[in-house]
């Protein structure tokens, strides 16, 4: 069969790499992809937002299955367009993708279906928002509504920080802000494959959202993950499934907006059980790079079975993975384009390209997050050691990385 993957980052690189392994797949197309994916399939010169052109291509070339990576393309309605034309595509419609594109929408659904999450209020007015923060005090969390690539969130540990974030948020015309209770605990990412009715969780990963070591610095799209997460045992996973993912999926079917695709929960394990920080409508990045290398089952078969309403049992490699993100020096503030990167040939890690380009045969930086370096180990320590050995062999003047991916074993406050 022919599979089309939409997107150009590390997540899509990992998806293409896994799809390519499937015995069912004869041909892989990636739109637009990046140079790291060149040997996995045909890179199409169609940007990911051009959903009609993508559907034209899928129709003309008889693509059997399309898998969508990024949230903005889902929010634009790629799934609606493909389904209107009778093309098979794995991802939510733009209506269902609102669980990510609107924090307020997600919060209302959670309230309606009793899905545990922090208390919150939505504001369109700065004065009202300031009053609320003064009433509640810090710590408190300020979230701009809409897609922000993980960057529109301020976890404020002082009132001043919260008020500064509000001022910035409301300097953007017509902005809407969700102010949320601070959840203290151990954060993890759970991604499930779902057709709306059946929910199949993948293995757990833990992301590292802050830019710098020891969870310092601004929030980013994610600076690295490890998987599995020993602290999250099968009881916690079951609780997350039964209290969060399944009620959400069932509720969305009931509301006439069934969610098909990768249902991603950012979850906090608190002293009072699991609580939802956010939902995403797609695979995580770098979660995909950490989780998919551990999947032993045929990924494409699993997706197709699920789309045919068959339950799926997934097999996993017991080893640990650690994925370390190498990012442009000023990420998330800005990105560096055109700095040469030397990637030695003999690395043991798998290198997924997040934001690279090729100029005159040389690999260069081309985005905020640039590479994801993924290594296995029989223990977490070994996976960490292996990943950092290779990270240090990759040479580029303008890249930085966190040195502590896989080191956070405690609740937020336990080690403060
Ligand atoms: P989000 O974009 O909603 O995932 O937020 C980005 C990051 O901010 C999360 O991954 C958490 O680390 C942190 N965060 C968001 N909401 C909360 C909350 N209510 N309590 C504590 N931390 C939060
Ligand atoms: N790494 C978190 C995300 O993909 O949103």
């Amino acid at each position: 069969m022919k599979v089309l993957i939409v997107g150009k980052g590390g997540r899509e690189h990992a998806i293409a790499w896994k799809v390519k392994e499937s015995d069912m797949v004869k041909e892989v197309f990636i739109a637009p992809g990046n140079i790291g994916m060149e040997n996995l399939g045909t890179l199409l010169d169609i940007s990911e937002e051009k959903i009609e052109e993508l559907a034209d291509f899928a129709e003309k070339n008889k693509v059997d299955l399309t898998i969508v990576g990024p949230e903005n393309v889902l929010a634009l309605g790629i799934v609606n367009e493909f389904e209107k034309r009778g093309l098979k595509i794995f991802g939510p419609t733009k209506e269902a993708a609102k669980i990510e594109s609107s924090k307020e929408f997600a919060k209302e659904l959670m309230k309606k279906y009793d899905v545990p999450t922090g208390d919150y209020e939505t504001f369109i007015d700065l004065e009202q928002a300031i009053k609320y923060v003064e009433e509640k005090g810090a710590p408190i969390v300020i979230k701009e509504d809409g897609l922000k690539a993980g960057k529109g969130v301020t976890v404020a540990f002082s009132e001043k920080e919260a008020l500064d974030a509000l001022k910035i948020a409301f300097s953007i015309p017509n902005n809407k802000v969700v102010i949320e209770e601070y959840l203290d605990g151990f954060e993890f990412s759970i991604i499930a494959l779902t057709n709306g009715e059946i929910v199949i969780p993948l293995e757990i990963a833990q992301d590292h959202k802050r830019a710098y070591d020891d969870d310092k610095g601004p929030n980013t799209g994610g600076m690295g993950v490890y998987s599995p997460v020993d602290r999250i045992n099968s009881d916690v996973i079951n609780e997350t499934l039964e209290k969060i993912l399944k009620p959400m999926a069932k509720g969305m079917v009931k509301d006439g907006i069934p969610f098909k695709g990768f249902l991603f929960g950012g979850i906090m394990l608190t002293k009072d059980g699991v609580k939802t920080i956010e939902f995403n409508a797609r695979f995580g990045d770098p979660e995909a790079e950490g989780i998919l290398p551990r999947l032993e089952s045929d990924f494409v078969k699993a997706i197709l079975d699920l789309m045919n309403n068959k339950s799926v049992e997934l097999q996993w490699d017991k080893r640990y993975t650690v994925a370390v993100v190498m990012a442009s020096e000023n990420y998330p503030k800005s990105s560096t384009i055109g700095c040469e990167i030397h990637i030695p040939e003999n690395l043991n890690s798998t290198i997924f390209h997040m934001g690279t380009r090729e100029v005159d045969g040389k690999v260069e930086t081309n985005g905020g997050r640039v590479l994801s370096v993924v290594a296995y180990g029989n223990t977490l320590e070994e996976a960490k050691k292996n990943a950092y050995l290779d990270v240090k062999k990759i040479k580029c003047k303008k890249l930085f990385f966190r040195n502590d991916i896989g080191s956070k074993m405690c609740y937020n406050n336990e080690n403060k």
Side-chain angles (χ1 to χ4, degrees):
M1 60 185 284
K2 296 179 186 176
V3 179
L4 167 64
I5 294 148
V6 179
K8 59 173 184 282
R11 164 184 49 215
E12 291 77 22
H13 190 169
I15 291 174
W17 178 82
K18 199 70 210 168
V19 162
K20 174 82 176 161
E21 269 184 22
S22 167
D23 290 336
M24 302 171 77
V25 175
K26 288 269 169 309
E27 211 169 350
V28 178
F29 300 103
I30 311 154
N34 65 42
I35 53 153
M37 308 181 207
E38 261 173 351
N39 55 0
L40 296 176
T42 308
L43 304 189
L44 306 180
D45 189 18
I46 309 175
S47 86
E48 50 201 353
E49 294 88 9
K50 297 258 163 66
I51 56 186
E52 290 195 3
E53 271 182 53
L54 290 170
D56 291 345
F57 177 88
E59 251 174 357
K60 213 191 275 165
N61 292 278
K62 303 200 168 22
V63 168
D64 301 287
L65 173 68
T66 298
I67 304 173
V68 189
E71 59 274 22
N72 60 329
V73 186
L74 294 165
L76 284 172
I78 190 170
V79 173
N80 306 58
E81 179 64 28
F82 273 56
E83 287 183 341
K84 194 171 80 190
R85 301 194 197 190
L87 294 164
K88 195 173 266 187
I89 183 161
F90 192 62
T93 58
K94 76 170 171 205
E95 293 76 18
K98 266 182 84 181
I99 59 160
E100 175 166 7
S101 58
S102 166
K103 304 247 183 227
E104 190 188 17
F105 175 80
K107 280 288 198 186
E108 276 170 6
L109 267 178
M110 284 188 255
K111 203 185 222 175
K112 184 166 172 190
Y113 291 107
D114 238 351
V115 170
T117 188
D119 286 340
Y120 74 101
E121 293 261 350
T122 308
F123 295 89
I124 48 169
D125 174 73
L126 175 63
E127 296 312 313
Q128 298 282 328
I130 290 177
K131 220 169 114 196
Y132 185 79
V133 165
E134 283 170 352
E135 255 169 51
K136 295 281 175 186
I140 196 158
V141 182
I142 313 292
K143 297 185 176 185
E144 294 178 48
D145 207 44
L147 291 177
K148 303 283 161 171
K151 291 173 249 167
V153 174
T154 304
V155 180
F157 288 97
S158 69
E159 256 182 51
K160 181 180 178 307
E161 233 183 302
L163 298 181
D164 288 347
L166 283 179
K167 279 173 203 151
I168 292 170
F170 282 107
S171 66
I172 303 163
N174 303 320
N175 213 355
K176 213 186 247 182
V177 170
V178 171
I179 305 183
E180 192 177 278
E181 173 194 358
Y182 171 74
L183 300 174
D184 197 12
F186 186 79
E187 188 175 346
F188 63 96
S189 302
I190 185 166
I191 292 120
L193 306 179
T194 180
N195 60 1
E197 303 286 346
I198 303 172
V199 181
I200 314 282
L202 305 182
E203 289 270 288
I204 304 299
Q206 187 176 53
D207 196 4
H208 296 63
K209 296 274 187 157
R210 300 287 186 139
Y212 313 129
D213 287 6
D214 210 13
D215 283 343
K216 300 274 184 342
N219 264 314
T220 69
M223 293 299 293
V225 299
Y226 68 94
S227 174
V229 182
D230 291 341
R231 183 111 190 205
I232 304 304
N233 60 28
S234 58
D235 289 345
V236 179
I237 297 171
N238 281 336
E239 187 188 336
T240 308
L241 257 183
E242 297 307 324
K243 289 195 177 157
I244 296 178
L245 296 183
K246 285 187 183 171
M248 197 67 175
K250 281 214 172 73
M252 292 181 80
V253 170
K254 206 161 150 200
D255 283 8
I257 38 168
F259 187 100
K260 164 173 56 75
F262 302 103
L263 180 60
F264 173 152
I267 311 293
M268 194 71 90
L269 174 60
T270 71
K271 305 272 190 233
D272 308 317
V274 289
K275 293 197 178 177
T276 315
I277 297 172
E278 63 161 356
F279 282 108
N280 292 319
R282 39 122 192 131
F283 217 131
D285 192 353
E287 280 85 345
E289 296 99 295
I291 293 171
L292 287 175
R294 296 193 52 235
L295 178 64
E296 288 177 340
S297 310
D298 185 320
F299 187 44
V300 175
K301 182 171 183 307
I303 289 175
L304 289 176
D305 281 351
L306 189 64
M307 289 177 85
N308 290 326
N309 218 23
K310 280 194 226 158
S311 192
V312 174
E313 205 164 305
L314 299 173
Q315 304 300 322
W316 295 95
D317 190 327
K318 297 275 179 286
R319 286 177 299 170
Y320 291 77
T321 50
V322 166
V324 179
V325 170
M326 301 182 76
S328 287
E329 56 186 357
N330 286 322
Y331 176 75
K333 237 191 195 152
S334 64
S335 50
T336 308
I337 314 282
C339 180
E340 193 178 346
I341 313 167
H342 294 277
I343 307 173
E345 301 243 311
N346 59 346
L347 301 180
N348 291 316
S349 304
T350 307
I351 312 296
F352 294 114
H353 289 227
M354 304 181 94
T356 58
R357 67 178 189 185
E358 191 175 46
V359 177
D360 300 331
K362 289 178 184 154
V363 180
E364 295 184 346
T365 57
N366 191 29
R369 292 184 298 170
V370 175
L371 295 172
S372 188
V373 178
V374 186
Y376 293 102
N378 290 319
T379 60
L380 181 57
E381 278 310 311
E382 195 179 287
K384 252 168 36 187
K385 201 174 109 212
N386 291 341
Y388 281 109
L389 262 176
D390 284 341
V391 163
K392 284 170 186 159
K393 290 181 189 160
I394 295 173
K395 299 292 175 207
C396 176
K397 285 193 196 110
K398 308 255 172 164
L399 290 183
F400 80 97
F401 53 87
R402 275 181 64 157
N403 296 285
D404 60 349
I405 304 302
S407 304
K408 190 170 139 180
M409 300 294 127
C410 306
Y411 280 81
N412 279 345
N413 276 340
E414 281 174 358
N415 52 355
K416 275 188 189 154

